[in-house]
Amino acid sequence: MDNIFSDNDQVEVVSTFSKLVDTNFKGDTNAICWYRNLAGDFKEIVSKLQLKEDLTEITVEDLHALQLSEKGKMAREIILNDFKLLADFGASPTLNLIKSYQRDEELDFISTDVYSYHVDRSPIGSDTFLCTYYGAASEIIANNEVEQKILIPEIRQKLKELHNGRETDFESFLTEHYFDLHYQPKPGARHVTLGLGHMWRLAVDHPEKQTLPCVHRAPAEKNGEYRLLLIC
């Protein structure tokens, strides 16, 4: 298959939804891509949706209510079919119209918002699925090209000062406040943009994991342009 991810050891590329959900993570591979070139006018859908908050959840009923051109209808059917595929698989997809996410600016030395490279954690053996239909696309980075922020000496020292408690409780403090989920790219790290229309399955941190969780982040939004993202 001719695609832009073929030379990336982190990414396994597949051609169907069934292969997306059935392919096992292994070795350095912790991101699986159902590579697609989608037809349809997703920009039209975004232009006709109503942004109620900076992040607005769009329902199936909202999509059905739109008056669309033929290309817009094609795009809507793709989204609705993706919803059905994921729901039939047992996932709970949501469609978000995004102007921006909330920023975490409480501390000046570490951030825990989704713009920071991070991994997802789950108590069960689930994965993260996502597809960007319009706007800036999410990014991933290889695990050997990042460093866990809580292991960076100057950050760790400041977190210890912030904790100001017993040493035996420090690791629990890091987990409770999600500091341990965030990573800093190493110099020269290669950031991989996930592109538009492709559906992705990303490994998460859970007790039954067979590979390292996929480090990813939300992109900086383009000025005046919303994102349309399916995620679960």
Side-chain angles (χ1 to χ4, degrees):
M1 182 182 299
D2 183 21
N3 65 81
I4 60 175
F5 308 110
S6 58
D7 65 342
N8 191 315
D9 293 337
Q10 184 183 6
V11 177
E12 176 83 12
V13 178
V14 298
S15 57
T16 65
F17 180 78
S18 61
K19 290 181 179 178
L20 176 70
V21 297
D22 291 338
T23 301
N24 292 325
F25 296 118
K26 59 183 184 297
D28 294 330
T29 302
N30 58 12
I32 302 174
C33 171
W34 177 17
Y35 194 87
R36 308 186 292 181
N37 292 307
L38 300 182
D41 190 345
F42 294 93
K43 182 178 181 179
E44 180 185 2
I45 290 180
V46 169
S47 70
K48 293 190 174 182
L49 290 171
Q50 182 178 0
L51 185 77
K52 299 174 183 178
E53 299 177 355
D54 286 346
L55 188 154
T56 301
E57 183 175 344
I58 305 300
T59 66
V60 169
E61 291 73 23
D62 292 332
L63 290 175
H64 279 300
L66 299 178
Q67 298 297 315
L68 299 169
S69 67
E70 287 305 311
K71 288 188 175 181
K73 290 177 182 177
M74 290 172 62
R76 176 169 59 192
E77 285 306 308
I78 289 170
I79 298 173
L80 292 173
N81 186 60
D82 286 348
F83 255 97
K84 186 176 187 306
L85 288 171
L86 288 165
D88 289 348
F89 175 66
S92 300
T94 58
L95 182 67
N96 293 326
L97 182 66
I98 304 164
K99 178 181 179 182
S100 63
Y101 291 102
Q102 184 174 353
R103 290 278 189 176
D104 172 21
E105 299 175 334
E106 183 176 356
L107 303 174
D108 61 1
F109 62 92
I110 191 171
S111 171
T112 58
D113 60 39
V114 295
Y115 297 105
S116 165
Y117 270 117
H118 64 281
V119 299
D120 296 331
R121 175 176 291 145
S122 172
I124 59 175
S126 62
D127 302 310
T128 295
F129 290 85
L130 59 85
C131 177
T132 304
Y133 299 110
Y134 185 79
S138 304
E139 299 174 335
I140 63 174
I141 193 169
N143 297 76
N144 62 2
E145 296 189 7
V146 292
E147 184 175 7
Q148 196 175 17
K149 287 185 176 180
I150 62 171
L151 297 182
I152 299 173
E154 56 268 30
I155 292 179
R156 191 172 184 86
Q157 180 58 39
K158 289 181 179 179
L159 287 170
K160 285 184 175 181
E161 294 170 3
L162 179 67
H163 174 232
N164 194 28
R166 294 185 303 177
E167 181 69 25
T168 53
D169 296 333
F170 182 57
E171 296 300 327
S172 296
F173 165 77
L174 296 177
T175 301
E176 289 169 4
H177 293 276
Y178 311 109
F179 294 126
D180 63 320
L181 299 181
H182 289 263
Y183 292 78
Q184 181 169 297
K186 296 178 181 178
R190 181 171 66 153
H191 308 258
V192 179
T193 302
L194 301 188
L196 298 180
H198 315 307
M199 187 178 291
W200 289 83
R201 176 177 152 225
L202 308 181
V204 306
D205 181 17
H206 62 77
E208 302 170 5
K209 63 183 179 182
Q210 297 178 343
T211 187
L212 291 173
C214 184
V215 182
H216 61 286
R217 70 177 177 186
E221 294 83 6
K222 300 175 183 176
N223 288 335
E225 182 178 270
Y226 299 155
R227 300 179 65 210
L228 188 62
L229 175 72
L230 183 69
I231 190 167
C232 57

